Each structure stands twice: as C-alpha cells, then as structure tokens.
Amino acid sequence: MPAVAGLTFLVLPLLGLLVRAPWATLPRRLAEPAVLAALRLSLTTATLATVLCLVFGVPLAWLLARGSFPGRRLVRALVTVPMVLPPVVGGVALLLVFGRRGLVGGPLDAAFGVSLPFTTAGVVVAEAFVAMPFLVISVQGALRAADTRYEEAAATLGAGRWTVFRRVTLPMVAPGVAAGAVLCWARALGEFGATITFAGNFPGRTQTMPLAVYLALEQDVDAAIVLSLVLLTVSVAILAGLRDRWLGGAG
Amino acid sequence: MSLDAHLVVRRGDFTLDVRLTADPGEVVALLGPNGAGKTTALRAIAGLRGLDDGHVVVGGETLDDGHRRFVAPERRHIGVVFQQYLLFPHLSAIDNVAFGPRCRGASTAQARAVARDWLQRVGLAEHGRKKPRQLSGGQAQRVALARALATGPRLLLLDEPLAALDARTRLETRAHLRGHLSGHPGATILVTHDPLDAMMLADRLIVVEDGRVVQAADAATLTSRPRTDYVARLVGLNLYRGRADGTAVRLPGGFTLRVGTPHRGEVFVAFPPSAVALFAEQPAGSPRNTWPATVTSVARHGDALRIELSGPVVVAADVTAAAAVQLRLEPGRAVWAAVKATETDAYPAGAAGPQLP
C-alpha cells in the first residue's frame, strides 16, 4: 500500500497537469512569441551551459578519478556541493563573486567592462554552476570503472598522455560522458533558483522557461500549464532517450 | 636488439629479483607458476612499472636504472602482446594495428598501409573492418601480435599469449606464433606458465618461482634435469634432492637411493614414472632400489595409469592397465616399488646451475 501511495503521489500531479491543460487553445498559445522566446532562450542557455560543463567538467572528472594529490577526497566532496546546495544560495554566492563589486566580477568589470549578472551569459553561468556536478560525477564514475590496462597498451604503442586520453580513454568512457551531458542539460533546463537570483527575470534576455512558468502562474494559469507541458515533454523525451542506459541498468 | 636486465621490484613483502638477458633474434621464456612475478617482470621491462633497483638496458640504451633514469613506456619502442590482448574495443582491427604507427608519426594513410600489410602477414587481411568483439580468440591474438609488431619494436614482450585460447586454437596459434617470432629481428621475452608453450616457442627457458630464478636452461636440459619440484611436476618427473656419496644418495628422510653414476655432495635425482616398477612381493636380486609403498591414488595418464604412492619416498609410477588389474591397484593397497639405478639421473644441486642467484 505505501508503495502504491508513493507512486500515486509521484504520478498524480503530472496527470493533473494533463487534465487541466487547455488543449483547445494549445497550438495558439505555443506559438506566442513570448513562449517561443523563453523556449529558445532555455534551449540555448542549457546547451551552452552543458558545453561549458563538458569543457571544464571532463578534465576535472579525470583529475578526480585518476589524479593523486593531497585532499582529493575533500575536493571530491566540494564538487558535489552545488548538488545539495539550495540553488538560491548558489545564486547569491554567484552574485557575491561575479557581481559588479564581487571578488571576480569587480576586476572583470574594471578590466574588460564585462558584467555577468542579469545577462544571458549570467544565465549560462548559473545553470552551469548548478548542473556541473551531475556531469562530473557521471564522467568520474565512468573513468573509475574504465579498464586502465587499455591505456597502458596504448602507451606501449607510443601514445603520449594526451593521445591516450583522446584516442583511448575518452572513446571508452563516451557513454558515461553522454549520459552525464544529458543529465547536466536537463538539470540546466529546469534551473530556477540560481538563475532568478543571479540573472534576474528579463523576458527575452534572462527569462528561461521555468521563470516564465512561475511568472505566468500569477497572471494566467493556462499559460503556466502550457509552458509546464512543454518542459514535461522535454523531460519525458530525455527519460525515454536514457531509458536503455539507466532503467536497463547498463549505465 | 638485445636486452640486458636486472629487475628488482618490491611489492609489499614480495620481492622480484631476476636477471635476464636476450640476444637479438633470441626468444627467451620466463616460465613459472602464477604469482611468481613473471608479469611484474614484463611490466618492468615495458616501463609500466618502475624498478626499485637494477637496470633495463635495450640495445645499449639504459631505460631504467632504478633511481634517476626512467624512460616512459611510450618512448621505449618495446612491443607488448598482453594476456587478454587488450585490443581497443572501439577501433576496428585495422585501426588497432594502425594505432602504433600513427603514434610514431606516420600519416593516417601510411599507418593504414602498414596495418594492412601486417594484417595480411598474420592472415587476417579480410577481417580489417571487424571490431575486436567480432573476432574469435585466435584472430584477436593475431591482431594483438600484428599491433605490437607494426611499430617495429626493438624488443617484443608476450604475456601468456596463448592462455586465453581453447586447446585446438592454441595448437594452431602456437605454430603461427612461432613463425612470426623467428622472423622478429629483435629479442623476444615470453611469459608463460605452460611448459609446452615455453619449449615450443623459446630458445632458452628461465624458470621463476617466488620472484627468483630457480633454473635457466634449454628445453632438453629442463625436461631431463629439473631443479625444483615445480619444474619436475611440469615435465612429469620424480625429483629428489639428497647427499651423494658415490652411487648412494641419502635423502632427507633417511632413505638411500642407488644411482647409476657416482657423485659427491648435494645432488638431484630424477627419473620418469615409467621407470618405477610395482610388485606384489619384494623383488629379489639385481642392484635396484626397492621399498614398500602404499597406493594413494590411481588416475588415467595417456595410455597408462598414473599411480601415486606414499612410503619412505613419495613417488609416481606409470603402469599398464593390465598390470594394474593383476596387482589390484587401488588406494590403500600395499605394494613394493622398484627403480633400477641405471634409470635414474643424478646431477649436482646447489650453485652449479647456470644463472642461479
């Protein structure tokens, strides 16, 4: 019985969303410029954030999985902090560091006139901050599970460190990297707290789908439902894409 | 090129201390039981593990001196065929073979041409497009060999190259491997726990037990004059060590064996199970060794039956099925064992063997 209750608890709200959806006006509402703008912004920023996470996260994961340095356990724990930190706190922290008077933001503004808060770039930074641990953990797990003897074999064939990483390690952990990237992307797409705190809520510039949903809920419930449905569809699509990896137990 | 190595590797309370040399074109087998340190020795030569002491010198160049000098594996030009082959699973057979030449600076086209040539040489020209998981064990072994040789290594190392194969493929692949090893201009070091592989493939055998060289010999010497129980078991001989005084050899248990040739001091005495005759009663006459023994086990061994016996000396005897029936041989049965002095071989023990540490 508790299991059924648990399942109901998880599924019922989603059903509610479907039941209450204004199906008749759905096509028209989806085509509204504001919705399209929010959707485009969300997809763009989530993708950019994922690229950012890949560029910095994969080397970090490699270091954590293969490197041996003092305090590695501490660093490993630190990497996962954004996962458990309330996103709003993350946003505040980002604001303090990258803000106009922040630790990094101040010099950045003074030197280049670059300011991240309340810009589209700020959205990407906020999303990447929150989503990066998902990628790092996934890639790190894949690297630790990978058989290092293949890397040794590559070394005996004359491959230097970088060649080994590029031609042997990376292809072998590719499924882990892909799974991590998808997870990272999904997390970035749904990011709300850090984004609204750090980047604000400007339509067309920093107003991503989750922010639009929240705003619409106060003015037009049907619009909020439509936006939610779009996000739900994307989530289900991702889940379906990852089904073989995760629900199948292969990952 | 030649190899001159003194490998000292410490790992916990295990110490590997092995001296090893091989001339260009020579195939040297490191033979020994599992856990003897054979693979560790190979890894140290390849540079996958640093030496704690000693040296690895290939073609006059010091690759590792245990202290200051250590050349990374990718700069050693030493080819390795790993026990599980370790073909890159995401690359086709031809790309696996082309990997080495590519790393050594060849263009993609050049590397592929070299790889194609090597696949041809190992008889797998048709299988270049296949991924490793689509290859049979024997084919994977050949691709691994081609991959190691395609870089033109100064030294070739083989770690249990046939261990992963079934009996029939093994036979075929062994013959094939022998052909390629004789064509390799550099020295080859082969690690195996299978005496047959070692004797068929190698010019010289070095037996390693518990991290030390216990015997270094050619196949003929090893099979006729083993120096440890391990080797004696491998080649199927009864082996004893004792103190000789003329033709009498006193074993540690107090039993005295008569041997054909006189010696003085510590000796080994070896004889094949077929030299042991069994009788129901004590045989009379003739200068032979006889003693009462008890059958502990009976097992098929080729055309004969292999009888294990306890008594003043533990011994294995081979008898025909007819004799076994006549003597009613079964565990617990008391019999008399006899060995002619002329059928035993006695040879000096101690430091007389070549390359004993």
Side-chain angles (χ1 to χ4, degrees), chain A:
Chain A
M1 274 310 286
V4 176
L7 184 66
T8 313
F9 175 66
L10 287 177
V11 174
L12 202 59
L14 301 181
L15 284 177
L17 205 57
L18 291 174
V19 170
R20 279 290 315 272
W23 296 106
T25 58
L26 197 63
R28 184 172 54 77
R29 283 176 181 277
L30 275 181
E32 267 178 36
V35 173
L36 288 178
L39 185 61
R40 194 179 309 119
L41 185 70
S42 266
L43 295 178
T44 316
T45 53
T47 305
L48 285 175
T50 305
V51 171
L52 206 63
C53 288
L54 280 170
V55 170
F56 295 104
V58 173
L60 179 58
W62 188 85
L63 191 69
L64 291 178
R66 295 288 164 78
S68 62
F69 51 90
R72 188 170 66 157
R73 288 165 68 98
L74 182 71
V75 176
R76 242 181 226 162
L78 276 177
V79 167
T80 57
V81 164
M83 267 174 103
V84 291
L85 193 73
V88 179
V89 179
V92 172
L94 283 173
L95 211 49
L96 290 178
V97 174
F98 292 106
R100 225 174 261 277
R101 281 181 234 296
L103 222 54
V104 178
L108 210 61
D109 189 26
F112 305 104
V114 175
S115 177
L116 286 175
F118 312 111
T119 62
T120 306
V123 176
V124 175
V125 169
E127 289 179 348
F129 177 78
V130 174
M132 182 120 94
F134 289 87
L135 180 93
V136 172
I137 285 178
S138 177
V139 176
Q140 190 191 322
L143 280 170
R144 287 171 67 138
D147 193 339
T148 54
R149 292 178 311 163
Y150 288 100
E151 295 167 12
E152 292 182 345
T156 66
L157 292 167
R161 265 189 168 204
W162 170 240
T163 310
V164 171
F165 179 73
R166 195 170 48 84
R167 293 204 54 204
V168 177
T169 314
L170 211 50
M172 285 182 59
V173 299
V177 175
V182 171
L183 206 62
C184 173
W185 188 80
R187 181 66 189 85
L189 191 72
E191 165 44 34
F192 178 84
T195 310
I196 201 163
T197 314
F198 183 58
N201 186 11
F202 304 108
R205 198 141 59 89
T206 70
Q207 191 184 76
T208 56
M209 287 291 282
L211 304 194
V213 171
Y214 182 73
L215 200 72
L217 201 58
E218 300 195 324
Q219 299 156 354
D220 179 359
V221 178
D222 281 353
I225 294 172
V226 170
L227 291 168
S228 299
L229 274 178
V230 173
L231 282 180
L232 181 66
T233 310
V234 173
S235 307
V236 170
I238 288 168
L239 199 64
L242 283 180
R243 189 193 52 212
D244 293 336
R245 287 217 69 64
W246 288 7
L247 302 184

